[in-house]
Amino acid sequence: MSSKKTVSQSEDFSVWYIETIKKADLMDYSPVRGCIVFKPAGYALWEAIQKELDARLKETGHENAYFPLFIPQSFFEKEKEHVEGFNPELPWVTEAGGDPLEEKLAIRPTSETMIGHMFSKWVKSYRDLPLLMNQWCNVVRWEKRTLPFLRTSEFLWQEGHTAHATEQEAKEETFKILDLYAEFIESGLAIPVVRGEKTPSEKFAGAVHTYSVEAMMKDGKALQAGTSHYMGQRFAKSFDIQFTDANNQLAYAYTTSWGVSTRLIGALIMVHGDDQGLVLPPRIAPTQVIIIPIGAKGERERVLSYAAQILDRFKAKGIRVKLDDRDNYSPGWKFNEYEAKGIPLRMEIGPRDVNQDQVVLARRDTLEKITVPTAEVLETVDRLFNEIQENLYQQAKANFDRNTHMAETLEALTDIIQTKRGFVLSGWCGDDRCEAKVKEESGAVSRNIPFDPPETMKTCVACGEKAKYTVWFAKSY
Amino acid sequence: MSSKKTVSQSEDFSVWYIETIKKADLMDYSPVRGCIVFKPAGYALWEAIQKELDARLKETGHENAYFPLFIPQSFFEKEKEHVEGFNPELPWVTEAGGDPLEEKLAIRPTSETMIGHMFSKWVKSYRDLPLLMNQWCNVVRWEKRTLPFLRTSEFLWQEGHTAHATEQEAKEETFKILDLYAEFIESGLAIPVVRGEKTPSEKFAGAVHTYSVEAMMKDGKALQAGTSHYMGQRFAKSFDIQFTDANNQLAYAYTTSWGVSTRLIGALIMVHGDDQGLVLPPRIAPTQVIIIPIGAKGERERVLSYAAQILDRFKAKGIRVKLDDRDNYSPGWKFNEYEAKGIPLRMEIGPRDVNQDQVVLARRDTLEKITVPTAEVLETVDRLFNEIQENLYQQAKANFDRNTHMAETLEALTDIIQTKRGFVLSGWCGDDRCEAKVKEESGAVSRNIPFDPPETMKTCVACGEKAKYTVWFAKSY
């Protein structure tokens, strides 16, 4: 399948994306509108992301829990902005066990309401705080236009929910998680991100502040890679999360929530993929090395037993390695196959290599091949993993730098968005109408107000008045 | 909370079960009927189970995938027995995104139908077989009577689904998984099980054969701990899973499915728990050792720094250890607390221990205390883990042996079930009506037809005719 002629990234990025996913066998469409099946290769990426991120969340004191899939209708109505934001996307269970339900149950689009309700039962005293919980689960938002991994009606994610005794502590948590996300995405997924605050029109329904990490895809479009929300006391007041503080006074808690989802799989594909297929960073790759034996039939046993020894040595070192010993596919076919799947390193072993105690290593990112003495292969692989990881990050960073612009007028911004591509830094006065105008004219949406902009813009790109904020605008997924 | 007077197992096992769960802080009731919240201590048990079992499933060539939560109504109707079995328990989504749906969507109670549909797209040739997939997910069955962990409307599980080219291979898979479950539950959870086949009235809706592993709780009741189903070609025919075989002939695949769920948490509690609370086997315990510093305030720093050194040494060895250095709870309070939570080993360190380079270890299972030179603590803990694991298994086995009986008449069976407790081995002619009669008279349900019964029974316990099968009967959860 991987030898089929396919569309290149430069010809049509959207078609390339879907074809790349298909070639790498990551997913399939399901018979339910907007829901995909995560095939093993796609789900393995999610498992790798989970493993890395879960360890970081546990190290920082968060505990996993599991809350119900169903949320009673009345819960949504307790937080006005929240219900307005999510109501249009909810699927409703109206009958169960053969009977109509007295109260409709929504399938969770996110769990602030349910968790807020439970927190109110668990928090009595300041000694019960902070509550630092996380849940890995499925959520559903009935989407009109869908795109595999990036926007599907059902998706998988983690959602963290915390409650704190003070405003300061809750704010610190919000930023700590944003930084944790940025660190994980940059070092684990080799994807540079910009941190910043969402504008009011783009913030989470019900939040006081929403912060995001935004990544740039190869086509210059933005992808919101993770969000962290500071709720203040809004959900605590709606769900009655009250506690007795150290001075014996009753007070409302301060809450936060934050999440990343299976859209990170889409980011991996769109940031690192090339015309041969996926390119996976070694740190996150479910399989880091694929060993492919080569040579005439008569030599097969000798080569295989040599390969098996290396396989065992690698496994013992904790390297995620596989040996493809199928004899009904040619080496060339396999090369294409594993390039499409993005395996960071391919090891080729032929009879001549066995004779000379060496192997050939081919990097997926640069497609370079080197011959290495077997005695040195472990340290070489280790070094190459670091080089590939760093190279992928640098390539993504270079793409980001190449495709970031500044614009002082709406005309200039629109021109950049429509004739070039990428992120545009512009000033904004803070008026929703100016933000809406940018979107209308250019198709670009505000991504975030970066904490650390490369430049501080002086005038609003839409109205020309004094700018209050410097904003990243971009088309987005 | 753990010092509160509580009901003992012998007074009222059901009340003891709920109180033990509460004391160990494993779960809370949610506002949605029949759905519980898995609190961190409860969810950690599920994570430990997942980790162990997932490794075993991957080692045996199974791959994880993820299929949609929603199943179109028409899918259920393709397999008559399946729809009849599950229809009464389904919740239905009838509206989404503000509109009524054209076709109702069930929340999955199990995924044979969805996965059957997808397999039919993926299987074309015998080269595509076997397909060996597994999914970790939530499922929903609208239950009338619920009990935390054992029977809840939403629960978490893994469901494996495989397709094979031949009947023999599919049957081998069915048994291989049953054995894998038995091995995991016996060695990981320290719970002995009996393997056998379910009677036709108790088999999975749509299966040709259902096999189960059944465990005995401390009160003598049975708990179905895992099931493995051989579907023959039934689902393949309903969902058109056809392939071209090696002779270029079109053939239907043979499929299997199998699962274990969060009810295993209930089994852990009911098999090992005692009047002090939970008792966790070391191999599955999320925290294996709790270190508790003891002594006067002035000595605190010295004891804590000694404890911290041991903590680090244990962590470096991969032991799951925690140090409780809170100073607002007394050591005695903490002892109760961690006994309630079932932590296998408690380590007490006081000033005198620091002076003498020793620690005190207390076993949760026997409540014995020993003093150990710190130089030997690692090997002692290792040895104690094995001893505790083995002791818990042997205790559970002794409970099983003590509470298994044989009965040749319905009167005898009923007497045992109603005045003693446990499993009763009896003969059965194979007639559904005789099986129903046993249930009616005694309240006991057939558990399974063991592969390896301690005795072969000659006559049907209900009708006195020649027995075709030897069956375990018991009251069950």
Side-chain angles (χ1 to χ4, degrees), chain B residues 284-351:
Chain B
I284 208 78
T287 301
Q288 298 170 304
V289 181
I290 181 73
I291 305 178
I292 299 177
I294 291 172
K297 259 210 167 142
E299 304 275 18
R300 191 173 150 78
E301 285 315 311
R302 199 163 63 94
V303 170
L304 274 184
S305 94
Y306 193 84
Q309 281 173 38
I310 295 181
L311 183 81
D312 289 344
R313 276 174 61 203
F314 274 38
K315 279 188 178 167
K317 287 283 172 191
I319 295 171
R320 299 187 291 274
V321 58
K322 281 189 179 165
L323 167 65
D324 185 345
D325 59 3
R326 291 178 296 175
D327 58 2
N328 53 334
Y329 293 98
S330 72
W333 190 95
K334 291 180 184 175
F335 293 178
N336 281 334
E337 175 79 357
Y338 294 107
E339 280 179 8
K341 288 178 182 295
I343 312 294
L345 277 179
R346 177 177 78 228
M347 186 186 297
E348 307 168 13
I349 307 176

Side-chain angles (χ1 to χ4, degrees), chain A residues 28-29 38 40 47 58 64-66 68-69 88 90 92-95 97 104 118 121-122 127 138 154 328, chain B residues 28-29 38 40 47 58 64-66 68-69 88 90 92-95 97 104 118 121-122 127 138 154 328:
Chain A
D28 201 353
Y29 296 101
F38 292 75
E47 287 184 307
K58 283 178 176 152
N64 288 334
Y66 187 79
L69 172 70
L90 298 178
W92 292 101
V93 174
T94 58
E95 38 185 282
K104 292 200 293 187
M118 297 311 299
K121 293 175 69 179
W122 300 338
R127 289 182 190 275
N138 55 343
E154 181 186 8
N328 54 333
Chain B
D28 200 354
Y29 296 100
F38 291 76
E47 286 185 307
K58 282 178 175 152
N64 288 334
Y66 187 78
L69 171 70
L90 298 178
W92 291 101
V93 173
T94 58
E95 39 186 280
K104 292 201 292 188
M118 297 310 298
K121 293 174 68 178
W122 300 338
R127 289 182 189 277
N138 55 343
E154 182 185 9
N328 53 334

Side-chain angles (χ1 to χ4, degrees), chain A residues 303-354:
Chain A
V303 170
L304 275 184
S305 94
Y306 193 85
Q309 282 174 38
I310 295 180
L311 184 80
D312 289 344
R313 275 175 60 204
F314 273 38
K315 279 187 177 166
K317 285 283 171 189
I319 295 171
R320 300 186 291 273
V321 59
K322 281 190 178 165
L323 167 65
D324 185 345
D325 59 3
R326 292 177 296 176
D327 59 2
N328 54 333
Y329 293 96
S330 72
W333 189 95
K334 291 179 184 175
F335 293 178
N336 281 333
E337 176 79 358
Y338 295 106
E339 280 179 7
K341 288 177 182 293
I343 313 294
L345 278 179
R346 176 176 80 228
M347 186 186 298
E348 306 167 13
I349 307 176
R352 204 171 51 106
D353 299 312
V354 175

Side-chain angles (χ1 to χ4, degrees), chain A residues 24-209:
Chain A
D25 207 21
L26 300 184
M27 71 101 213
D28 201 353
Y29 296 101
S30 90
V32 180
R33 198 175 68 93
C35 294
I36 62 168
V37 173
F38 292 75
K39 295 188 78 174
Y43 194 77
L45 289 173
W46 183 236
E47 287 184 307
I49 289 169
Q50 283 188 297
K51 195 178 165 198
E52 285 272 328
L53 190 54
D54 194 66
R56 282 169 171 83
L57 291 173
K58 283 178 176 152
E59 271 164 29
T60 48
H62 301 86
E63 295 186 300
N64 288 334
Y66 187 79
F67 295 84
L69 172 70
F70 300 117
I71 299 181
Q73 185 172 26
S74 55
F75 276 43
F76 280 98
E77 285 155 13
K78 292 188 183 183
E79 219 300 325
K80 189 166 163 290
E81 258 189 35
H82 194 68
V83 66
E84 282 170 6
F86 284 103
N87 226 358
E89 299 179 344
L90 298 178
W92 292 101
V93 174
T94 58
E95 38 185 282
D99 296 311
L101 294 177
E102 278 180 37
E103 179 176 10
K104 292 200 293 187
L105 297 171
I107 309 296
R108 65 178 159 223
T110 179
S111 302
E112 279 75 12
T113 57
M114 174 61 73
I115 294 178
H117 174 86
M118 297 311 299
F119 276 14
S120 77
K121 293 175 69 179
W122 300 338
V123 174
K124 300 290 169 212
S125 147
Y126 70 97
R127 289 182 190 275
D128 301 325
L129 294 171
L131 275 179
L132 307 173
M133 294 211 182
N134 178 59
Q135 128 167 308
W136 293 95
C137 66
N138 55 343
V139 284
V140 179
R141 298 172 188 182
W142 212 250
E143 297 280 358
K144 292 235 181 327
R145 293 177 318 118
T146 60
L147 194 56
F149 300 123
L150 297 180
R151 202 170 42 252
T152 51
S153 288
E154 181 186 8
F155 58 95
L156 305 176
W157 78 347
Q158 61 68 218
E159 49 177 321
H161 296 268
T162 69
H164 306 264
T166 66
E167 178 178 342
Q168 192 194 335
E169 200 186 293
K171 284 187 169 167
E172 278 169 10
E173 169 78 7
T174 314
F175 291 118
K176 182 201 275 183
I177 293 293
L178 195 75
D179 287 348
L180 187 153
Y181 284 161
E183 189 280 322
F184 163 64
I185 295 167
E186 296 196 326
S187 81
L189 308 185
I191 297 174
V193 293
V194 287
R195 301 165 214 208
E197 180 170 358
K198 286 284 187 186
T199 62
S201 74
E202 294 288 323
K203 75 178 169 58
F204 180 82
V208 174
H209 298 286

